Amino acid sequence: MNEERKIEIEELSEAPPAPPKARVDDVEDEAARPRDYLAGFLQPSPAVTPGEVGGDLYERVIDALKEIYDPEIPVNIYDLGLIYGVDISDDAHVTVTMTLTTPNCPVAESMPGEIELRVGSVPGVGLADVNLVWDPPWDPQKMSDEAKLELGML
């Protein structure tokens, strides 16, 4: 039990030979090799038209909407969940579908006009329309997490 264990170190005069590497060109028939499931993973995504989600014009319209704030709540109308949709036609006609927090909102008459002006001033937008809808009604669940955090709801 009291025997001391010794660690022996063996020194090599030459480096050990490297193991052989697998080569793709060893396959004789290219068609026999299974296709790589990640082949197109890093390929660039197909071109997005400017009016589609993720397109340049669409993102500029969303940025313009994020500059408009509700006068009673210190959150922009996009994060507040008042914007239900942004549709951009091929000729750059933008239609914004939105609601307000309540039908009795004091800015019910002025807010759609302000949105038309702001969206219409985005470079590349031909014409801007606002559709004010009440169905589905707005509720606090439509707010983004950033808006809920700003209002102390998270």
Side-chain angles (χ1 to χ4, degrees), residues 5 15 24 31 34 57 76 82-83 88 119 127 130-131 146:
R5 296 186 183 220
V24 175
L57 181 59
N76 69 64
L82 298 178
I83 305 300
I88 303 176
V119 171
L127 189 64
V130 175
N131 290 335
E146 291 85 8

Side-chain angles (χ1 to χ4, degrees), residues 6-154:
K6 294 182 181 180
I7 298 176
E8 294 182 15
I9 299 174
E10 181 180 343
E11 292 186 26
L12 299 173
S13 60
E14 296 178 15
K21 295 184 177 181
R23 298 238 181 253
V24 175
D25 56 345
D26 291 343
V27 178
E28 292 176 15
D29 184 15
E30 187 69 28
R33 195 174 95 204
R35 185 179 176 102
D36 187 6
Y37 70 95
L38 291 176
F41 183 72
L42 295 177
Q43 298 298 325
S45 61
V48 177
T49 59
E52 290 180 5
V53 175
D56 187 41
L57 181 59
Y58 183 86
E59 294 303 322
R60 287 188 304 210
V61 169
I62 297 301
D63 289 342
L65 291 171
K66 287 184 177 183
E67 292 177 357
I68 304 170
Y69 283 80
D70 186 292
E72 297 173 330
I73 305 170
V75 176
N76 69 64
I77 61 171
Y78 189 81
D79 288 335
L80 201 55
L82 298 178
I83 305 300
Y84 287 171
V86 175
D87 298 316
I88 303 176
S89 68
D90 292 337
D91 59 344
H93 179 100
V94 179
T95 304
V96 177
T97 304
M98 67 167 294
T99 191
L100 295 171
T101 52
T102 66
N104 299 328
C105 183
V107 294
E109 291 181 21
S110 63
M111 183 69 73
E114 182 180 354
I115 292 171
E116 278 184 18
L117 285 174
R118 290 280 181 104
V119 171
S121 68
V122 171
V125 171
L127 189 64
D129 286 327
V130 175
N131 290 335
L132 188 60
V133 298
W134 302 108
D135 189 38
W138 179 85
D139 63 62
Q141 296 303 317
K142 292 184 178 14
M143 292 192 301
S144 69
D145 289 340
E146 291 85 8
K148 289 178 183 177
L149 186 63
E150 181 73 27
L151 297 174
M153 297 174 72
L154 276 183

